[in-house]
Amino acid sequence: MKNVIIIIGSLIIAFGFNFFLVPYGILSSGVSGIAILLGIITPFEIGLINLVLNLPLLILGYLKLGKEITINTITCVVSLSVFLYALPVVAVTENILLSTIFGGIIGGTGIGLILKYSGSSGGLDIIAIIITRISNMSVGILLTGMNGVIVLISGAIFDWEIALYTLLSIYITGKMIDTIHTNHIKLTMQIVTSKGDKIRKELLDTVYRGMTVMEGYGGYSEQKKQVLMMVVTRYETVRIKKIVRKHDEKAFINIYETVEVDGEFARN
C-alpha cells in the first residue's frame, strides 16, 4: 500500500514539474531542482539526471535512516525519474505567476504525501529528515533554507526575475510539505482516568513512548484518579485515544502542542 501511495506522490510531483515549473525555467527544491536546471541547459533528460544525482544520497539514507525508508525512497526516485521522462513538458497556463503558485502547491503535495508514508523524494529530503530526527525543526523549513543556493544559481544562469519565481515556488512547496507531513509536530497528552493501570500497561506495550503517571482526584467528585502524561507525534494520537476509550469511556484527554522537547524522545 505504501509503495502505491509513493508512486502516486511521484506522479503528482512530476505533473507539477512538467506542466507548471519546467516550461518557464522555474526550478523546484532540492536535487530535483538541480536536475531541472541541468535538464534545461544540457541535452540530457531531467529524469536521468535526477536518478544519477540521487545515488550517493540514497547510500547516505540507507546508512542513517534504515532499510524501509531507503527502499521507499528508491521507489520514489525511480518512479519520479520515469514520470519526468514520460510526461510531456507542456505549459498549462500562459501566466508565469499562476504556474509558480500551482507548481509549488502540486509539488509540495506530492512530496508531503511521500514523507507521510515513510518515504522521501530523495536528494535534500534525506538530509532534512536526518536533521529533523536530531532537532525540533520541520522538514519544510529545512528544505526552504537549504534551497537558497538553487535560487542563486537560477538567478546567475537565467535572470533574477526567474530566481524570485523559483524562491516563491520553493517557499510554497515547503509550506505544503509541512501542511501534509506533520510528524515533526510534538503534542503533549494528559489523560485523566480511573483506569490508569490498564491504560498504562497497554500504552507501554503498543506505543513506543514513555510516560509520567501522577496521582490526583476529581475536584467535584473527589474520586481518586490517575493522570498519565505523554509527549507524542500527531500521528500517534488517534491510536492512543482508541486505547484510552477501550478501557475508560469517561476518561478526560487534554492535548496541546509542545513548543520544544529537550531530553530523551524517540524521533523515528
Side-chain angles (χ1 to χ4, degrees):
M1 181 63 180
K2 281 185 178 180
N3 285 339
V4 174
I5 294 174
I6 288 168
I7 291 171
I8 292 172
S10 301
L11 178 59
I12 293 171
I13 296 169
F15 179 81
F17 285 1
N18 284 9
F19 286 87
F20 291 93
L21 301 182
V22 178
Y24 292 99
I26 301 167
L27 307 185
S28 176
S29 59
V31 170
S32 300
I34 298 172
I36 292 174
L37 172 65
L38 294 176
I40 292 171
I41 64 177
T42 70
F44 298 106
E45 290 288 340
I46 295 173
L48 178 61
I49 297 170
N50 183 67
L51 187 61
V52 171
L53 291 178
N54 273 291
L55 289 177
L57 291 167
L58 286 172
I59 296 172
L60 176 64
Y62 180 78
L63 295 174
K64 295 293 185 179
L65 301 177
K67 183 178 179 180
E68 181 187 4
I69 195 169
T70 303
I71 291 173
N72 292 339
T73 300
I74 291 171
T75 301
C76 174
V77 170
V78 172
S79 57
L80 176 58
S81 299
V82 170
F83 289 136
L84 286 171
Y85 178 80
L87 292 177
V89 177
V90 180
V92 172
T93 173
E94 295 180 358
N95 188 313
I96 187 172
L97 180 59
L98 286 177
S99 282
T100 301
I101 293 171
F102 280 94
I105 291 172
I106 294 169
T109 300
I111 296 171
L113 192 64
I114 290 165
L115 289 171
K116 186 171 184 176
Y117 286 89
S118 300
S120 82
S121 60
L124 296 183
D125 290 5
I126 293 173
I127 298 173
I129 292 171
I130 293 171
I131 295 174
T132 298
R133 289 192 173 183
I134 58 174
S135 72
N136 289 306
M137 298 183 70
S138 73
V139 173
I141 290 174
L142 284 167
L143 288 175
T144 301
M146 289 189 292
N147 281 298
V149 65
I150 296 177
V151 177
L152 295 175
I153 293 171
S154 174
I157 293 179
F158 301 109
D159 59 61
W160 288 107
E161 184 172 318
I162 292 296
L164 292 175
Y165 281 122
T166 297
L167 182 61
L168 177 60
S169 172
I170 290 172
Y171 176 77
I172 294 171
T173 298
K175 285 295 183 182
M176 285 304 300
I177 290 171
D178 281 345
T179 299
I180 298 171
H181 176 65
T182 57
N183 195 49
H184 64 281
I185 297 176
K186 308 299 182 294
L187 302 173
T188 296
M189 296 187 72
Q190 286 183 331
I191 304 160
V192 182
T193 175
S194 58
K195 306 289 179 61
D197 289 338
K198 292 181 180 180
I199 294 172
R200 177 185 60 81
K201 187 177 185 305
E202 185 165 350
L203 286 176
L204 290 176
D205 288 341
T206 58
V207 181
Y208 187 61
R209 297 293 171 202
M211 72 177 72
T212 299
V213 181
M214 296 168 281
E215 295 293 335
Y217 63 91
Y220 177 75
S221 66
E222 297 186 359
Q223 181 184 1
K224 184 179 178 181
K225 301 279 187 178
Q226 292 84 43
V227 181
L228 283 60
M229 187 181 76
M230 307 174 69
V231 177
V232 301
T233 66
R234 180 165 287 177
Y235 297 155
E236 294 166 323
T237 56
V238 174
R239 182 166 42 152
I240 292 171
K241 285 192 285 186
K242 284 182 179 179
I243 292 172
V244 173
R245 294 299 174 213
K246 173 183 170 183
H247 296 285
D248 187 357
E249 283 288 338
K250 296 182 178 180
F252 178 81
I253 303 173
N254 182 28
I255 303 174
Y256 52 91
E257 188 168 332
T258 301
V259 176
E260 182 178 353
V261 175
D262 185 8
E264 288 190 25
F265 183 82
R267 301 177 188 277
N268 294 347

